[in-house]
């Protein structure tokens, strides 16, 4: 049976349990219960999550994301993580994944678009799609250089209806949850040559 590790922020929290259900009987799916937050936090905790989850070094596929926290702008003084530092962290995460899970195929999911108009106090807390796009470009280059694959959730969701958003950042509506879960299942299934079983999709939150 294949082994899959899902890592990522609150976008991942919207589909992880559904991916586990869809691959039941075909793959074991592991994921931390916590939000994996920003890139530095992922790098710091990878070995801890491996130990806590008991998933071992024989993981076949790691599907992960990090970026939305990094692009957060507080009080208009720039992104939480400078983009050049973000690139360094993504590169280090890729290498750490290779170290901890040497047989795994690596899939990076790009950070998803936000609805900028819904941020209540943009002068205090904001995310901009222009920043997300630039950070995604950096991540894609680093991941590909390290032999990983890309699941481009940003492009996939960029032109979806505004109703797909459950708030300014998340896609926890039923339609969006179904779309994102399907895209993740397709990406992992193609990577591991396994087929997901039909499941009932429900809103993530």
């Amino acid at each position: 049976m294949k082994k899959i590790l899902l890592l990522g922020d609150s976008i991942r929290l919207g589909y992880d349990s559904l991916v586990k259900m869809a691959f039941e009987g075909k793959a074991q799916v592991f994921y931390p219960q916590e939000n994996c937050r920003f890139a530095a936090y992922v790098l710091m905790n990878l070995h801890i999550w491996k130990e806590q989850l008991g998933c071992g070094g024989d993981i076949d596929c790691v599907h992960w994301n990090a970026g939305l926290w990094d692009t957060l702008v507080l009080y208009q003084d720039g992104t939480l993580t400078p983009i050049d530092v973000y690139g360094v962290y993504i590169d280090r995460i890729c290498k750490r994944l290779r170290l901890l899970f040497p047989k795994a195929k690596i899939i990076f999911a790009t950070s998803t678009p936000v609805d900028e108009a819904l941020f209540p106090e943009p002068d205090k807390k904001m995310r901009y799609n222009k920043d997300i796009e630039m950070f995604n470009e950096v991540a894609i280059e680093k991941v590909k250089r390290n032999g990983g694959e890309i699941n481009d959730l940003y492009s996939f969701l960029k032109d979806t209806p505004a109703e797909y958003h459950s708030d300014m950042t998340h896609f926890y509506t039923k339609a969006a949850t179904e779309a994102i879960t399907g895209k993740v299942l397709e990406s992992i299934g193609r990577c591991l040559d396994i087929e997901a079983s039909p499941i009932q999709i429900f809103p993530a939150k």
Side-chain angles (χ1 to χ4, degrees), residues 3 7 18-19 40 45 53 65 68 75 78-79 83 87 100 117 120 140 142 148 167 188 190 193 196 202-203 205:
K3 290 186 176 182
L7 300 170
L18 296 171
V19 170
N45 286 280
L53 295 170
N65 75 284
L68 280 175
Y75 296 98
T79 56
I83 192 166
L100 297 176
I140 289 170
K142 297 294 185 182
D167 59 25
I188 296 174
R190 182 176 61 251
D193 195 25
F202 48 84
K205 301 290 180 183

mmCIF file with all atom_site columns, all heavy atoms in Angstrom, residues 3 7 18-19 40 45 53 65 68 75 78-79 83 87 100 117 120 140 142 148 167 188 190 193 196 202-203 205:
data_model
loop_
_atom_site.group_PDB
_atom_site.id
_atom_site.type_symbol
_atom_site.label_atom_id
_atom_site.label_alt_id
_atom_site.label_comp_id
_atom_site.label_asym_id
_atom_site.label_entity_id
_atom_site.label_seq_id
_atom_site.pdbx_PDB_ins_code
_atom_site.Cartn_x
_atom_site.Cartn_y
_atom_site.Cartn_z
_atom_site.occupancy
_atom_site.B_iso_or_equiv
_atom_site.pdbx_formal_charge
_atom_site.auth_seq_id
_atom_site.auth_comp_id
_atom_site.auth_asym_id
_atom_site.auth_atom_id
_atom_site.pdbx_PDB_model_num
ATOM 1   N N   . LYS A 1 3   ? 2.089   5.157  0.591   1.00 0.00 ? 3   LYS A N   1
ATOM 2   C CA  . LYS A 1 3   ? 2.034   6.060  1.738   1.00 0.00 ? 3   LYS A CA  1
ATOM 3   C C   . LYS A 1 3   ? 2.169   7.497  1.257   1.00 0.00 ? 3   LYS A C   1
ATOM 4   O O   . LYS A 1 3   ? 3.093   7.820  0.501   1.00 0.00 ? 3   LYS A O   1
ATOM 5   C CB  . LYS A 1 3   ? 3.153   5.738  2.734   1.00 0.00 ? 3   LYS A CB  1
ATOM 6   C CG  . LYS A 1 3   ? 2.968   4.414  3.475   1.00 0.00 ? 3   LYS A CG  1
ATOM 7   C CD  . LYS A 1 3   ? 4.039   4.239  4.547   1.00 0.00 ? 3   LYS A CD  1
ATOM 8   C CE  . LYS A 1 3   ? 3.804   2.973  5.359   1.00 0.00 ? 3   LYS A CE  1
ATOM 9   N NZ  . LYS A 1 3   ? 4.828   2.823  6.439   1.00 0.00 ? 3   LYS A NZ  1
ATOM 10  N N   . LEU A 1 7   ? 1.225   18.034 3.716   1.00 0.00 ? 7   LEU A N   1
ATOM 11  C CA  . LEU A 1 7   ? 1.700   19.117 4.569   1.00 0.00 ? 7   LEU A CA  1
ATOM 12  C C   . LEU A 1 7   ? 1.205   20.443 4.009   1.00 0.00 ? 7   LEU A C   1
ATOM 13  O O   . LEU A 1 7   ? 1.113   20.605 2.791   1.00 0.00 ? 7   LEU A O   1
ATOM 14  C CB  . LEU A 1 7   ? 3.229   19.137 4.626   1.00 0.00 ? 7   LEU A CB  1
ATOM 15  C CG  . LEU A 1 7   ? 3.932   17.890 5.166   1.00 0.00 ? 7   LEU A CG  1
ATOM 16  C CD1 . LEU A 1 7   ? 5.434   17.996 4.922   1.00 0.00 ? 7   LEU A CD1 1
ATOM 17  C CD2 . LEU A 1 7   ? 3.643   17.707 6.646   1.00 0.00 ? 7   LEU A CD2 1
ATOM 18  N N   . LEU A 1 18  ? -10.535 14.437 3.264   1.00 0.00 ? 18  LEU A N   1
ATOM 19  C CA  . LEU A 1 18  ? -11.210 13.923 2.068   1.00 0.00 ? 18  LEU A CA  1
ATOM 20  C C   . LEU A 1 18  ? -10.250 13.098 1.218   1.00 0.00 ? 18  LEU A C   1
ATOM 21  O O   . LEU A 1 18  ? -10.636 12.064 0.654   1.00 0.00 ? 18  LEU A O   1
ATOM 22  C CB  . LEU A 1 18  ? -11.773 15.095 1.254   1.00 0.00 ? 18  LEU A CB  1
ATOM 23  C CG  . LEU A 1 18  ? -12.858 15.915 1.961   1.00 0.00 ? 18  LEU A CG  1
ATOM 24  C CD1 . LEU A 1 18  ? -13.184 17.171 1.159   1.00 0.00 ? 18  LEU A CD1 1
ATOM 25  C CD2 . LEU A 1 18  ? -14.115 15.087 2.175   1.00 0.00 ? 18  LEU A CD2 1
ATOM 26  N N   . VAL A 1 19  ? -9.019  13.543 1.135   1.00 0.00 ? 19  VAL A N   1
ATOM 27  C CA  . VAL A 1 19  ? -8.002  12.768 0.412   1.00 0.00 ? 19  VAL A CA  1
ATOM 28  C C   . VAL A 1 19  ? -7.795  11.416 1.091   1.00 0.00 ? 19  VAL A C   1
ATOM 29  O O   . VAL A 1 19  ? -7.691  10.378 0.430   1.00 0.00 ? 19  VAL A O   1
ATOM 30  C CB  . VAL A 1 19  ? -6.675  13.551 0.335   1.00 0.00 ? 19  VAL A CB  1
ATOM 31  C CG1 . VAL A 1 19  ? -5.555  12.670 -0.197  1.00 0.00 ? 19  VAL A CG1 1
ATOM 32  C CG2 . VAL A 1 19  ? -6.842  14.783 -0.539  1.00 0.00 ? 19  VAL A CG2 1
ATOM 33  N N   . ALA A 1 40  ? 9.325   28.791 7.103   1.00 0.00 ? 40  ALA A N   1
ATOM 34  C CA  . ALA A 1 40  ? 10.297  28.533 8.168   1.00 0.00 ? 40  ALA A CA  1
ATOM 35  C C   . ALA A 1 40  ? 9.754   27.535 9.178   1.00 0.00 ? 40  ALA A C   1
ATOM 36  O O   . ALA A 1 40  ? 10.492  26.700 9.708   1.00 0.00 ? 40  ALA A O   1
ATOM 37  C CB  . ALA A 1 40  ? 10.684  29.844 8.866   1.00 0.00 ? 40  ALA A CB  1
ATOM 38  N N   . ASN A 1 45  ? 9.814   21.998 11.554  1.00 0.00 ? 45  ASN A N   1
ATOM 39  C CA  . ASN A 1 45  ? 9.004   20.933 12.130  1.00 0.00 ? 45  ASN A CA  1
ATOM 40  C C   . ASN A 1 45  ? 8.923   19.643 11.312  1.00 0.00 ? 45  ASN A C   1
ATOM 41  O O   . ASN A 1 45  ? 8.295   18.678 11.762  1.00 0.00 ? 45  ASN A O   1
ATOM 42  C CB  . ASN A 1 45  ? 7.582   21.440 12.373  1.00 0.00 ? 45  ASN A CB  1
ATOM 43  C CG  . ASN A 1 45  ? 7.500   22.370 13.559  1.00 0.00 ? 45  ASN A CG  1
ATOM 44  O OD1 . ASN A 1 45  ? 7.456   21.941 14.711  1.00 0.00 ? 45  ASN A OD1 1
ATOM 45  N ND2 . ASN A 1 45  ? 7.480   23.669 13.288  1.00 0.00 ? 45  ASN A ND2 1
ATOM 46  N N   . LEU A 1 53  ? 3.823   11.455 13.535  1.00 0.00 ? 53  LEU A N   1
ATOM 47  C CA  . LEU A 1 53  ? 2.877   10.723 12.697  1.00 0.00 ? 53  LEU A CA  1
ATOM 48  C C   . LEU A 1 53  ? 3.268   9.263  12.516  1.00 0.00 ? 53  LEU A C   1
ATOM 49  O O   . LEU A 1 53  ? 2.447   8.448  12.090  1.00 0.00 ? 53  LEU A O   1
ATOM 50  C CB  . LEU A 1 53  ? 2.761   11.396 11.324  1.00 0.00 ? 53  LEU A CB  1
ATOM 51  C CG  . LEU A 1 53  ? 2.177   12.803 11.320  1.00 0.00 ? 53  LEU A CG  1
ATOM 52  C CD1 . LEU A 1 53  ? 2.344   13.449 9.946   1.00 0.00 ? 53  LEU A CD1 1
ATOM 53  C CD2 . LEU A 1 53  ? 0.698   12.764 11.706  1.00 0.00 ? 53  LEU A CD2 1
ATOM 54  N N   . ASN A 1 65  ? 2.435   22.486 0.668   1.00 0.00 ? 65  ASN A N   1
ATOM 55  C CA  . ASN A 1 65  ? 2.389   23.894 0.275   1.00 0.00 ? 65  ASN A CA  1
ATOM 56  C C   . ASN A 1 65  ? 2.879   24.758 1.424   1.00 0.00 ? 65  ASN A C   1
ATOM 57  O O   . ASN A 1 65  ? 2.793   24.386 2.593   1.00 0.00 ? 65  ASN A O   1
ATOM 58  C CB  . ASN A 1 65  ? 0.984   24.321 -0.148  1.00 0.00 ? 65  ASN A CB  1
ATOM 59  C CG  . ASN A 1 65  ? 0.039   24.486 1.031   1.00 0.00 ? 65  ASN A CG  1
ATOM 60  O OD1 . ASN A 1 65  ? -0.445  23.509 1.595   1.00 0.00 ? 65  ASN A OD1 1
ATOM 61  N ND2 . ASN A 1 65  ? -0.241  25.723 1.405   1.00 0.00 ? 65  ASN A ND2 1
ATOM 62  N N   . LEU A 1 68  ? 1.180   31.246 1.794   1.00 0.00 ? 68  LEU A N   1
ATOM 63  C CA  . LEU A 1 68  ? 0.177   32.255 2.139   1.00 0.00 ? 68  LEU A CA  1
ATOM 64  C C   . LEU A 1 68  ? 0.543   33.012 3.412   1.00 0.00 ? 68  LEU A C   1
ATOM 65  O O   . LEU A 1 68  ? 0.343   34.225 3.503   1.00 0.00 ? 68  LEU A O   1
ATOM 66  C CB  . LEU A 1 68  ? -1.203  31.614 2.268   1.00 0.00 ? 68  LEU A CB  1
ATOM 67  C CG  . LEU A 1 68  ? -1.944  31.348 0.952   1.00 0.00 ? 68  LEU A CG  1
ATOM 68  C CD1 . LEU A 1 68  ? -3.250  30.603 1.200   1.00 0.00 ? 68  LEU A CD1 1
ATOM 69  C CD2 . LEU A 1 68  ? -2.219  32.656 0.213   1.00 0.00 ? 68  LEU A CD2 1
ATOM 70  N N   . TYR A 1 75  ? 0.556   45.925 8.624   1.00 0.00 ? 75  TYR A N   1
ATOM 71  C CA  . TYR A 1 75  ? 0.845   47.359 8.729   1.00 0.00 ? 75  TYR A CA  1
ATOM 72  C C   . TYR A 1 75  ? 1.645   47.890 7.536   1.00 0.00 ? 75  TYR A C   1
ATOM 73  O O   . TYR A 1 75  ? 2.414   48.835 7.657   1.00 0.00 ? 75  TYR A O   1
ATOM 74  C CB  . TYR A 1 75  ? 1.565   47.664 10.049  1.00 0.00 ? 75  TYR A CB  1
ATOM 75  C CG  . TYR A 1 75  ? 0.696   47.353 11.250  1.00 0.00 ? 75  TYR A CG  1
ATOM 76  C CD1 . TYR A 1 75  ? 0.844   46.152 11.935  1.00 0.00 ? 75  TYR A CD1 1
ATOM 77  C CD2 . TYR A 1 75  ? -0.274  48.245 11.689  1.00 0.00 ? 75  TYR A CD2 1
ATOM 78  C CE1 . TYR A 1 75  ? 0.032   45.840 13.029  1.00 0.00 ? 75  TYR A CE1 1
ATOM 79  C CE2 . TYR A 1 75  ? -1.094  47.952 12.783  1.00 0.00 ? 75  TYR A CE2 1
ATOM 80  C CZ  . TYR A 1 75  ? -0.924  46.752 13.445  1.00 0.00 ? 75  TYR A CZ  1
ATOM 81  O OH  . TYR A 1 75  ? -1.726  46.445 14.519  1.00 0.00 ? 75  TYR A OH  1
ATOM 82  N N   . GLY A 1 78  ? 5.679   45.387 4.278   1.00 0.00 ? 78  GLY A N   1
ATOM 83  C CA  . GLY A 1 78  ? 6.264   44.304 3.496   1.00 0.00 ? 78  GLY A CA  1
ATOM 84  C C   . GLY A 1 78  ? 5.766   42.936 3.920   1.00 0.00 ? 78  GLY A C   1
ATOM 85  O O   . GLY A 1 78  ? 5.105   42.787 4.951   1.00 0.00 ? 78  GLY A O   1
ATOM 86  N N   . THR A 1 79  ? 6.062   41.923 3.122   1.00 0.00 ? 79  THR A N   1
ATOM 87  C CA  . THR A 1 79  ? 5.601   40.569 3.399   1.00 0.00 ? 79  THR A CA  1
ATOM 88  C C   . THR A 1 79  ? 6.281   40.019 4.649   1.00 0.00 ? 79  THR A C   1
ATOM 89  O O   . THR A 1 79  ? 7.419   40.377 4.961   1.00 0.00 ? 79  THR A O   1
ATOM 90  C CB  . THR A 1 79  ? 5.883   39.642 2.212   1.00 0.00 ? 79  THR A CB  1
ATOM 91  O OG1 . THR A 1 79  ? 7.274   39.681 1.891   1.00 0.00 ? 79  THR A OG1 1
ATOM 92  C CG2 . THR A 1 79  ? 5.065   40.063 0.989   1.00 0.00 ? 79  THR A CG2 1
ATOM 93  N N   . ILE A 1 83  ? 10.888  37.878 0.051   1.00 0.00 ? 83  ILE A N   1
ATOM 94  C CA  . ILE A 1 83  ? 10.786  36.880 -1.010  1.00 0.00 ? 83  ILE A CA  1
ATOM 95  C C   . ILE A 1 83  ? 12.103  36.136 -1.243  1.00 0.00 ? 83  ILE A C   1
ATOM 96  O O   . ILE A 1 83  ? 12.089  34.934 -1.545  1.00 0.00 ? 83  ILE A O   1
ATOM 97  C CB  . ILE A 1 83  ? 10.279  37.524 -2.322  1.00 0.00 ? 83  ILE A CB  1
ATOM 98  C CG1 . ILE A 1 83  ? 9.886   36.438 -3.333  1.00 0.00 ? 83  ILE A CG1 1
ATOM 99  C CG2 . ILE A 1 83  ? 11.289  38.522 -2.890  1.00 0.00 ? 83  ILE A CG2 1
ATOM 100 C CD1 . ILE A 1 83  ? 9.084   36.953 -4.502  1.00 0.00 ? 83  ILE A CD1 1
ATOM 101 N N   . GLY A 1 87  ? 12.588  32.014 -0.853  1.00 0.00 ? 87  GLY A N   1
ATOM 102 C CA  . GLY A 1 87  ? 13.219  31.110 -1.808  1.00 0.00 ? 87  GLY A CA  1
ATOM 103 C C   . GLY A 1 87  ? 14.247  30.204 -1.161  1.00 0.00 ? 87  GLY A C   1
ATOM 104 O O   . GLY A 1 87  ? 14.340  29.012 -1.477  1.00 0.00 ? 87  GLY A O   1
ATOM 105 N N   . LEU A 1 100 ? 14.633  13.187 4.567   1.00 0.00 ? 100 LEU A N   1
ATOM 106 C CA  . LEU A 1 100 ? 13.738  12.457 5.460   1.00 0.00 ? 100 LEU A CA  1
ATOM 107 C C   . LEU A 1 100 ? 12.905  11.399 4.744   1.00 0.00 ? 100 LEU A C   1
ATOM 108 O O   . LEU A 1 100 ? 12.550  10.379 5.339   1.00 0.00 ? 100 LEU A O   1
ATOM 109 C CB  . LEU A 1 100 ? 12.803  13.443 6.171   1.00 0.00 ? 100 LEU A CB  1
ATOM 110 C CG  . LEU A 1 100 ? 13.468  14.464 7.098   1.00 0.00 ? 100 LEU A CG  1
ATOM 111 C CD1 . LEU A 1 100 ? 12.429  15.430 7.645   1.00 0.00 ? 100 LEU A CD1 1
ATOM 112 C CD2 . LEU A 1 100 ? 14.197  13.770 8.232   1.00 0.00 ? 100 LEU A CD2 1
ATOM 113 N N   . ALA A 1 117 ? -10.706 42.270 -1.842  1.00 0.00 ? 117 ALA A N   1
ATOM 114 C CA  . ALA A 1 117 ? -11.771 43.191 -1.446  1.00 0.00 ? 117 ALA A CA  1
ATOM 115 C C   . ALA A 1 117 ? -12.403 42.819 -0.108  1.00 0.00 ? 117 ALA A C   1
ATOM 116 O O   . ALA A 1 117 ? -13.070 43.650 0.521   1.00 0.00 ? 117 ALA A O   1
ATOM 117 C CB  . ALA A 1 117 ? -12.853 43.238 -2.529  1.00 0.00 ? 117 ALA A CB  1
ATOM 118 N N   . PRO A 1 120 ? -10.944 43.157 5.868   1.00 0.00 ? 120 PRO A N   1
ATOM 119 C CA  . PRO A 1 120 ? -11.652 44.224 6.579   1.00 0.00 ? 120 PRO A CA  1
ATOM 120 C C   . PRO A 1 120 ? -10.802 45.443 6.893   1.00 0.00 ? 120 PRO A C   1
ATOM 121 O O   . PRO A 1 120 ? -11.278 46.565 6.875   1.00 0.00 ? 120 PRO A O   1
ATOM 122 C CB  . PRO A 1 120 ? -12.118 43.542 7.874   1.00 0.00 ? 120 PRO A CB  1
ATOM 123 C CG  . PRO A 1 120 ? -11.169 42.407 8.076   1.00 0.00 ? 120 PRO A CG  1
ATOM 124 C CD  . PRO A 1 120 ? -10.798 41.950 6.689   1.00 0.00 ? 120 PRO A CD  1
ATOM 125 N N   . ILE A 1 140 ? 8.080   27.601 -7.513  1.00 0.00 ? 140 ILE A N   1
ATOM 126 C CA  . ILE A 1 140 ? 8.063   26.689 -8.659  1.00 0.00 ? 140 ILE A CA  1
ATOM 127 C C   . ILE A 1 140 ? 9.484   26.448 -9.166  1.00 0.00 ? 140 ILE A C   1
ATOM 128 O O   . ILE A 1 140 ? 9.881   25.307 -9.443  1.00 0.00 ? 140 ILE A O   1
ATOM 129 C CB  . ILE A 1 140 ? 7.164   27.247 -9.787  1.00 0.00 ? 140 ILE A CB  1
ATOM 130 C CG1 . ILE A 1 140 ? 5.692   27.153 -9.374  1.00 0.00 ? 140 ILE A CG1 1
ATOM 131 C CG2 . ILE A 1 140 ? 7.403   26.502 -11.096 1.00 0.00 ? 140 ILE A CG2 1
ATOM 132 C CD1 . ILE A 1 140 ? 4.745   27.890 -10.301 1.00 0.00 ? 140 ILE A CD1 1
ATOM 133 N N   . LYS A 1 142 ? 12.338  26.740 -7.507  1.00 0.00 ? 142 LYS A N   1
ATOM 134 C CA  . LYS A 1 142 ? 13.117  25.983 -6.527  1.00 0.00 ? 142 LYS A CA  1
ATOM 135 C C   . LYS A 1 142 ? 12.691  24.511 -6.504  1.00 0.00 ? 142 LYS A C   1
ATOM 136 O O   . LYS A 1 142 ? 13.533  23.611 -6.440  1.00 0.00 ? 142 LYS A O   1
ATOM 137 C CB  . LYS A 1 142 ? 12.943  26.591 -5.136  1.00 0.00 ? 142 LYS A CB  1
ATOM 138 C CG  . LYS A 1 142 ? 13.464  28.011 -4.998  1.00 0.00 ? 142 LYS A CG  1
ATOM 139 C CD  . LYS A 1 142 ? 14.965  28.090 -5.158  1.00 0.00 ? 142 LYS A CD  1
ATOM 140 C CE  . LYS A 1 142 ? 15.465  29.504 -4.899  1.00 0.00 ? 142 LYS A CE  1
ATOM 141 N NZ  . LYS A 1 142 ? 16.927  29.630 -5.105  1.00 0.00 ? 142 LYS A NZ  1
ATOM 142 N N   . GLY A 1 148 ? 11.097  18.214 -8.043  1.00 0.00 ? 148 GLY A N   1
ATOM 143 C CA  . GLY A 1 148 ? 9.703   18.061 -7.650  1.00 0.00 ? 148 GLY A CA  1
ATOM 144 C C   . GLY A 1 148 ? 8.733   18.439 -8.752  1.00 0.00 ? 148 GLY A C   1
ATOM 145 O O   . GLY A 1 148 ? 9.116   19.010 -9.784  1.00 0.00 ? 148 GLY A O   1
ATOM 146 N N   . ASP A 1 167 ? -14.144 33.095 2.715   1.00 0.00 ? 167 ASP A N   1
ATOM 147 C CA  . ASP A 1 167 ? -13.726 34.370 3.286   1.00 0.00 ? 167 ASP A CA  1
ATOM 148 C C   . ASP A 1 167 ? -12.629 34.920 2.374   1.00 0.00 ? 167 ASP A C   1
ATOM 149 O O   . ASP A 1 167 ? -12.460 34.442 1.248   1.00 0.00 ? 167 ASP A O   1
ATOM 150 C CB  . ASP A 1 167 ? -13.253 34.229 4.745   1.00 0.00 ? 167 ASP A CB  1
ATOM 151 C CG  . ASP A 1 167 ? -12.079 33.271 4.912   1.00 0.00 ? 167 ASP A CG  1
ATOM 152 O OD1 . ASP A 1 167 ? -11.311 33.071 3.952   1.00 0.00 ? 167 ASP A OD1 1
ATOM 153 O OD2 . ASP A 1 167 ? -11.929 32.707 6.008   1.00 0.00 ? 167 ASP A OD2 1
ATOM 154 N N   . ILE A 1 188 ? -1.942  13.601 -7.109  1.00 0.00 ? 188 ILE A N   1
ATOM 155 C CA  . ILE A 1 188 ? -1.315  12.492 -6.381  1.00 0.00 ? 188 ILE A CA  1
ATOM 156 C C   . ILE A 1 188 ? -1.553  11.171 -7.094  1.00 0.00 ? 188 ILE A C   1
ATOM 157 O O   . ILE A 1 188 ? -0.648  10.343 -7.216  1.00 0.00 ? 188 ILE A O   1
ATOM 158 C CB  . ILE A 1 188 ? -1.846  12.431 -4.940  1.00 0.00 ? 188 ILE A CB  1
ATOM 159 C CG1 . ILE A 1 188 ? -1.454  13.690 -4.170  1.00 0.00 ? 188 ILE A CG1 1
ATOM 160 C CG2 . ILE A 1 188 ? -1.323  11.181 -4.226  1.00 0.00 ? 188 ILE A CG2 1
ATOM 161 C CD1 . ILE A 1 188 ? -2.062  13.775 -2.781  1.00 0.00 ? 188 ILE A CD1 1
ATOM 162 N N   . ARG A 1 190 ? -2.038  10.552 -10.251 1.00 0.00 ? 190 ARG A N   1
ATOM 163 C CA  . ARG A 1 190 ? -1.199  10.452 -11.445 1.00 0.00 ? 190 ARG A CA  1
ATOM 164 C C   . ARG A 1 190 ? 0.246   10.169 -11.060 1.00 0.00 ? 190 ARG A C   1
ATOM 165 O O   . ARG A 1 190 ? 0.938   9.372  -11.702 1.00 0.00 ? 190 ARG A O   1
ATOM 166 C CB  . ARG A 1 190 ? -1.295  11.746 -12.248 1.00 0.00 ? 190 ARG A CB  1
ATOM 167 C CG  . ARG A 1 190 ? -0.496  11.724 -13.548 1.00 0.00 ? 190 ARG A CG  1
ATOM 168 C CD  . ARG A 1 190 ? -0.701  12.988 -14.368 1.00 0.00 ? 190 ARG A CD  1
ATOM 169 N NE  . ARG A 1 190 ? -0.277  14.185 -13.654 1.00 0.00 ? 190 ARG A NE  1
ATOM 170 C CZ  . ARG A 1 190 ? -1.091  15.103 -13.173 1.00 0.00 ? 190 ARG A CZ  1
ATOM 171 N NH1 . ARG A 1 190 ? -2.403  14.956 -13.302 1.00 0.00 ? 190 ARG A NH1 1
ATOM 172 N NH2 . ARG A 1 190 ? -0.611  16.160 -12.538 1.00 0.00 ? 190 ARG A NH2 1
ATOM 173 N N   . ASP A 1 193 ? 0.200   6.531  -9.694  1.00 0.00 ? 193 ASP A N   1
ATOM 174 C CA  . ASP A 1 193 ? -0.540  5.571  -10.522 1.00 0.00 ? 193 ASP A CA  1
ATOM 175 C C   . ASP A 1 193 ? -1.570  4.803  -9.695  1.00 0.00 ? 193 ASP A C   1
ATOM 176 O O   . ASP A 1 193 ? -1.661  3.577  -9.763  1.00 0.00 ? 193 ASP A O   1
ATOM 177 C CB  . ASP A 1 193 ? 0.426   4.591  -11.202 1.00 0.00 ? 193 ASP A CB  1
ATOM 178 C CG  . ASP A 1 193 ? -0.243  3.816  -12.340 1.00 0.00 ? 193 ASP A CG  1
ATOM 179 O OD1 . ASP A 1 193 ? -1.228  4.335  -12.902 1.00 0.00 ? 193 ASP A OD1 1
ATOM 180 O OD2 . ASP A 1 193 ? 0.210   2.699  -12.637 1.00 0.00 ? 193 ASP A OD2 1
ATOM 181 N N   . ALA A 1 196 ? -8.337  7.362  -7.108  1.00 0.00 ? 196 ALA A N   1
ATOM 182 C CA  . ALA A 1 196 ? -9.140  7.679  -5.938  1.00 0.00 ? 196 ALA A CA  1
ATOM 183 C C   . ALA A 1 196 ? -10.556 7.112  -6.079  1.00 0.00 ? 196 ALA A C   1
ATOM 184 O O   . ALA A 1 196 ? -11.107 7.061  -7.177  1.00 0.00 ? 196 ALA A O   1
ATOM 185 C CB  . ALA A 1 196 ? -9.203  9.180  -5.737  1.00 0.00 ? 196 ALA A CB  1
ATOM 186 N N   . PHE A 1 202 ? -18.131 17.412 1.068   1.00 0.00 ? 202 PHE A N   1
ATOM 187 C CA  . PHE A 1 202 ? -18.886 18.320 1.916   1.00 0.00 ? 202 PHE A CA  1
ATOM 188 C C   . PHE A 1 202 ? -18.069 19.570 2.155   1.00 0.00 ? 202 PHE A C   1
ATOM 189 O O   . PHE A 1 202 ? -16.844 19.564 1.956   1.00 0.00 ? 202 PHE A O   1
ATOM 190 C CB  . PHE A 1 202 ? -19.208 17.633 3.261   1.00 0.00 ? 202 PHE A CB  1
ATOM 191 C CG  . PHE A 1 202 ? -18.031 16.963 3.892   1.00 0.00 ? 202 PHE A CG  1
ATOM 192 C CD1 . PHE A 1 202 ? -17.128 17.659 4.679   1.00 0.00 ? 202 PHE A CD1 1
ATOM 193 C CD2 . PHE A 1 202 ? -17.804 15.593 3.672   1.00 0.00 ? 202 PHE A CD2 1
ATOM 194 C CE1 . PHE A 1 202 ? -16.036 17.025 5.249   1.00 0.00 ? 202 PHE A CE1 1
ATOM 195 C CE2 . PHE A 1 202 ? -16.694 14.970 4.234   1.00 0.00 ? 202 PHE A CE2 1
ATOM 196 C CZ  . PHE A 1 202 ? -15.816 15.682 5.027   1.00 0.00 ? 202 PHE A CZ  1
ATOM 197 N N   . PRO A 1 203 ? -18.695 20.668 2.532   1.00 0.00 ? 203 PRO A N   1
ATOM 198 C CA  . PRO A 1 203 ? -17.911 21.887 2.784   1.00 0.00 ? 203 PRO A CA  1
ATOM 199 C C   . PRO A 1 203 ? -16.828 21.633 3.811   1.00 0.00 ? 203 PRO A C   1
ATOM 200 O O   . PRO A 1 203 ? -17.043 20.916 4.802   1.00 0.00 ? 203 PRO A O   1
ATOM 201 C CB  . PRO A 1 203 ? -18.957 22.873 3.306   1.00 0.00 ? 203 PRO A CB  1
ATOM 202 C CG  . PRO A 1 203 ? -20.255 22.373 2.778   1.00 0.00 ? 203 PRO A CG  1
ATOM 203 C CD  . PRO A 1 203 ? -20.126 20.879 2.743   1.00 0.00 ? 203 PRO A CD  1
ATOM 204 N N   . LYS A 1 205 ? -15.544 23.576 6.028   1.00 0.00 ? 205 LYS A N   1
ATOM 205 C CA  . LYS A 1 205 ? -15.843 24.134 7.343   1.00 0.00 ? 205 LYS A CA  1
ATOM 206 C C   . LYS A 1 205 ? -17.316 24.480 7.435   1.00 0.00 ? 205 LYS A C   1
ATOM 207 O O   . LYS A 1 205 ? -17.908 24.899 6.455   1.00 0.00 ? 205 LYS A O   1
ATOM 208 C CB  . LYS A 1 205 ? -15.005 25.397 7.595   1.00 0.00 ? 205 LYS A CB  1
ATOM 209 C CG  . LYS A 1 205 ? -13.514 25.168 7.522   1.00 0.00 ? 205 LYS A CG  1
ATOM 210 C CD  . LYS A 1 205 ? -13.000 24.326 8.699   1.00 0.00 ? 205 LYS A CD  1
ATOM 211 C CE  . LYS A 1 205 ? -11.495 24.116 8.600   1.00 0.00 ? 205 LYS A CE  1
ATOM 212 N NZ  . LYS A 1 205 ? -10.961 23.268 9.641   1.00 0.00 ? 205 LYS A NZ  1
#
